[in-house]
Amino acid sequence: MNFNVFKQAVATQFAKMAKSQLFVTATTGDDLWATYLAAFPEGTNPVYRERTEHDCSCCKQFIRNIGNVVTIQDGKLVSIWDIVPTNSPYDLVAAALSSAVKAHPIANMYRHYERSVGTDKNFEQLVTGQKAWEHFYVTLPATVVMDKRSIPTKLGEYREAHQMLTRALATISDDAIDTVLELISQNSLYRGAEHKGLVTAFNDMRKKYLAFFGLPKDLFIWSVAASGSSAVTGIRNSVIGTLLVDLSEGVPMERAVASFEAKVAPTNYKRPTALVTKAMIEAAKKTVQDLGLLSALERRYATIDDIKIGNILFASTNARRTLVKDVFDDLSSKVAAKPNLDKVEEVSIDKFLADILPTINHMEVLVENRHMGNLVSLVAPADPTAPSLFKWNNAFSWSYQGDMADSIKERVKQAGGNVTGELCCRLAWDYSDDLDLHMYEPRSGHIFYAVRRRKSIHGGMLDVDANGMDGLVENPVENIFYEKLSTMGSGEYTLWVNNFARRSPGVGFEVEIDLLGQVTRLGYDKVITSNEKIKVATLTKTPAGVEVTPHLPSTQSSKSVWGVATHTFVPVTVMMLSPNFWEDTGSGIGNKHYLFMLDGCQNDGSARGFFNEFLKPELDQHRKVIEMVGSRMKTEEAGRQLSGLGFSSTQRNSVTCRITGSFTRNITINF
């Protein structure tokens, strides 16, 4: 056995490895030394004095210091012991060491504080002359030699890079990467071009990682971590990485992008294009086509001819007979005049439907200014043979003025806010800015986000803070309520809206002040700049109650909307429930709405054909695209249509009717 041959074979192998990045596996030096000694075949370890040539302290230190060094070649681990065969028992020793080293995963990079490891040779003076002892010895490349005090810090950085990259590859999805790259390419992401190189580099690296078939993928991760590309390995901690992670974790795209833009965009930034990618559009289109619903997207106003008799609760004589109207009666019904309401009976909607409606042959409703948000149109598919888009079986939907499927009150309720207080002030908007509702109370009371969910000195509380403390949401609302008016001290209460953070090109807001069921609706239709405050209303509390004084444009005079004059009684053509409660839906799906279709009432624009909350669950995964489709697939203007007033079962409201059966009387229906 010639140890010098073995020694040179190890040095030659290390010289080849030194041209690549050097790592160490998790095996220990002491375990390798034990493997080394045990690997010699029986009879190949003759005793010379106390130790053989290969069994010495110099070789032991070499194996302990560098014996577990490996490199990665062609996707495989290569160790210092993978030598060219020497045709000696040392080949068995090398094979045993190689197996022991590669049986463990990579633990870190290899770094050392000296330019060489081992002792090349030393000499001993014997009786017969001087004896040269050969030992393992290699010279290290300059890339792995560094100051001893710096090695722990550097190895910690490599380990952290490996961990960050491992997590990024496990949590950032291909779909998220494709979405971000497409948003950047279509200029839908503010300053997105600055991050394109990083996302592209990570995408290319991820593809190689996924193609690392049949091999330990940790080897690939270590090879990237060793490359020194801190931007790619630390992508999760970058601003673009937070967007990738949010999208990968299922955060709605609009919310994820808004969060990204809040970090990089100025407060007055306006996004140039919509947050929908071509891939999303194609996927949504395919789903709609597969479900056979493409023809159902085109919508029109419904007419009386579309409705089955079983879905009508009440029909006027004209509607039943389709007779020519008396033009003089028609004109007189449109003239604004203060109705005589000296004697008005109040009934619940359930009592009205059960006991009163079956006995009448004519009905008129008093349209008031406060009912402007209740104006509603019934919508049908343009193709009468089209299947239903909706959770219910028929193909009909409804749309309130301003394209609201339901009230602000319902949105607050869904957000967990209190809607039963004797005084509720609700704020709603439809973009990602952080609007805040403030109530300034007597005796220096102040309700706003900083005291969220804490009662004020007058018993008021803010319990919903959308796009702020509650995080970004799709339908933002805020809510300040007073459970009892009796807790409010006398004096003036002023309601304000402040834009805490400008994040989007959105405009305006709407406020509802619900006082004992009487709702005052106020709107603001201008841009609100960052930190701008808008005074909404003053509420004055006296022993007699609370009086609301609006500060936004509001009028209580009679006006003409959708062809009907307010403060007048208008004939009801038909009364029905909303389509989700028609006879073909069984027990009904969702909220119930009571629709009073009025004679001469015409939506003077176009109505939205459908809302996301109406749609079949199979379309939920394409909510953003379908929402945009719905906003564009509106009805065309039409003279014949079913429009009037609608009232939700979830919102406290009332309407006064003049009904005729055996005699004429006035009633107020409470919802």
Side-chain angles (χ1 to χ4, degrees), residues 30-82:
D30 289 338
D31 288 342
L32 279 182
W33 178 246
T35 300
Y36 173 76
L37 294 178
F40 285 90
E42 186 177 352
T44 60
N45 192 10
V47 174
Y48 178 82
R49 292 184 178 177
E50 295 180 358
R51 292 185 178 275
T52 59
E53 189 170 25
H54 58 258
D55 181 1
C56 66
S57 60
C58 292
C59 292
K60 181 177 182 179
Q61 291 304 314
F62 178 91
I63 290 175
R64 292 179 65 179
N65 286 334
I66 200 171
N68 61 345
V69 167
V70 294
T71 189
I72 302 172
Q73 296 178 7
D74 299 325
K76 297 180 180 180
L77 279 184
V78 176
S79 80
I80 194 175
W81 308 108
D82 293 327

Side-chain angles (χ1 to χ4, degrees), residues 4 23 97 108 125 147 164 203 232 236 248-249 261 309 354 381 395 409 454 456 465 492 526 546 576 586 602 626 664:
N4 192 51
F23 307 87
L97 289 170
N108 213 319
Q125 186 64 43
D147 182 75
M164 289 192 301
N203 188 37
V232 173
R236 269 187 61 99
S248 300
E249 293 178 349
E261 290 175 348
I309 190 65
K409 177 179 179 180
R454 282 187 279 172
S456 71
D465 180 30
E492 287 191 350
K526 302 175 184 177
V546 176
M576 65 185 73
Q602 290 187 5
I626 299 298
T664 299

Side-chain angles (χ1 to χ4, degrees), residues 287-288 291 293 389-390 615-622:
T287 299
V288 171
L291 293 172
L293 298 175
L389 284 167
F390 311 122
L615 300 176
K616 292 179 180 292
E618 294 90 334
L619 298 173
D620 282 350
Q621 59 181 319
H622 307 295

